[in-house]
Amino acid sequence: MSRKPVIAGNWKMHNLQQAAIDLTNGIMQELKSEDKNALPEVIIAPTFTSLYAANKALRDCGCGKVRLAAQNCYFEEKGAFTGECSVQMLKDTGCEYIIIGHSERREYFGETDEMVNKKAKSILAEGLVPIICCGESLAQREAGVTDYHIASQITKALRDLSASDVAKSIIAYEPIWAIGTGKTCDSTEANRVIAMIRNVVKGLYDANTADSIRILYGGSVKPNTIKEQMAQSDIDGALVGGASLTADSFAQIVKGAM
Ligand code: 13P
């Protein structure tokens, strides 16, 4: 089965509205001469306050080559949840994808596997696509519990989801020690873990579901690493942090996945 590659830029807590508009326009300019059908699914994830501005820039361009994601959501529909944004609110702002369970959210904001599972359900119920993050710390890797930890995160994140919902979801494997450190995980090792994740999905569901779900690698992805990563059997794309903050480097990564 051929899976469409995905290149997603996680802008994290960067870019005021004008900077978000400029970066969005810059990316579209860089991709202007590329055939839309040959491009991977290209996604940008600005911070909440820049979603509206980025969405407007995308709509004004109308090229349909770049899609919008949020970096987080809350799983309840509405109510007295000060400071939170529901999936419906993010959909209303143009988001088609939502990143959940990022290691920074787990570490600094107490996001648990149970919350990730509830968020995944709310996202899918609204017809959006969850980008479910998982990954081990350096201590876990050194203790030899990487596979056990990742399998547990994925099993809990997918609890009670239907096979058809899982098939259209996206998983991002992001080893924590590779995030923002410049230490990219060796691509054969990233591929091994990603194939292991696919096997977990196969065990929970079936071969078709495992063949359909896109699984990305994230952690210090750069223009000069993407080709080798994309050449691996099970890596379907990248979740990019730092290198997604300039149009030139992000576009190079997108083109490296073509
Ligand atoms: P870097 O690409 O900056 O390592 O960040 C990866 C990441 O956390 C994407 O979600």
Side-chain angles (χ1 to χ4, degrees):
M1 148 140 4
S2 77
R3 297 178 291 269
K4 191 171 175 70
V6 177
I7 299 294
N10 174 8
W11 294 2
K12 307 193 179 182
M13 201 169 74
H14 293 284
N15 291 329
L16 302 182
Q17 294 186 70
Q18 190 56 52
I21 292 168
D22 293 345
L23 179 52
T24 304
N25 286 334
I27 292 165
M28 289 188 295
Q29 185 62 33
E30 294 277 350
L31 301 179
K32 202 171 160 186
S33 57
E34 304 297 335
D35 173 9
K36 186 179 163 191
N37 297 320
L39 281 171
E41 232 163 270
V42 183
I43 303 169
I44 54 171
T47 193
F48 283 149
T49 53
S50 291
L51 283 172
Y52 179 85
N55 186 46
K56 185 165 183 321
L58 292 176
R59 278 188 294 121
D60 287 349
C61 167
C63 67
K65 290 180 180 170
V66 179
R67 299 170 184 285
L68 198 64
Q71 299 173 18
N72 181 32
C73 66
Y74 193 54
F75 48 79
E76 295 288 354
E77 242 171 70
K78 59 180 160 197
F81 302 105
T82 302
E84 293 297 321
C85 271
S86 71
V87 175
Q88 212 178 24
M89 288 165 182
L90 297 167
K91 186 178 176 180
D92 186 47
T93 315
C95 292
E96 296 178 75
Y97 308 77
I98 303 179
I99 298 170
I100 54 176
H102 192 281
S103 59
E104 287 150 18
R105 294 217 54 84
R106 293 180 192 258
E107 185 178 355
Y108 307 134
F109 305 103
E111 192 158 320
T112 62
D113 290 323
E114 191 192 10
M115 287 160 76
V116 173
N117 176 244
K118 286 182 175 170
K119 290 179 183 193
K121 284 179 187 156
S122 307
I123 293 165
L124 287 158
E126 281 293 337
L128 274 62
V129 177
I131 301 177
I132 304 165
C133 300
C134 61
E136 83 286 1
S137 65
L138 187 58
Q140 287 168 323
R141 175 156 285 265
E142 286 174 350
V145 297
T146 297
D147 292 14
Y148 170 81
H149 175 69
I150 306 283
S152 158
Q153 283 186 321
I154 293 305
T155 303
K156 289 173 183 166
L158 302 183
R159 213 180 108 196
D160 296 332
L161 297 187
S162 69
S164 65
D165 274 348
V166 172
K168 57 189 166 215
S169 298
I170 296 174
I171 291 174
Y173 167 57
E174 299 203 308
I176 298 170
W177 49 270
I179 296 178
T181 58
K183 282 189 216 150
T184 317
C185 179
D186 182 74
S187 48
T188 54
E189 171 59 9
N191 192 56
R192 186 195 68 76
V193 176
I194 286 176
M196 184 277 297
I197 295 171
R198 207 175 292 290
N199 207 38
V200 169
V201 174
K202 186 177 169 189
L204 293 170
Y205 296 90
D206 50 64
N208 261 347
T209 309
D211 277 348
S212 302
I213 189 168
R214 270 94 51 91
I215 311 181
L216 318 181
Y217 167 75
S220 298
V221 173
K222 300 279 182 281
N224 64 2
T225 66
I226 189 68
K227 280 211 182 295
E228 190 186 315
Q229 287 153 345
M230 293 309 295
Q232 303 294 320
S233 61
D234 281 78
I235 301 181
D236 299 320
L239 182 55
V240 187
S244 72
L245 292 174
T246 62
D248 172 59
S249 62
F250 187 61
Q252 281 185 53
I253 292 171
V254 169
K255 290 174 194 173
M258 290 175 76

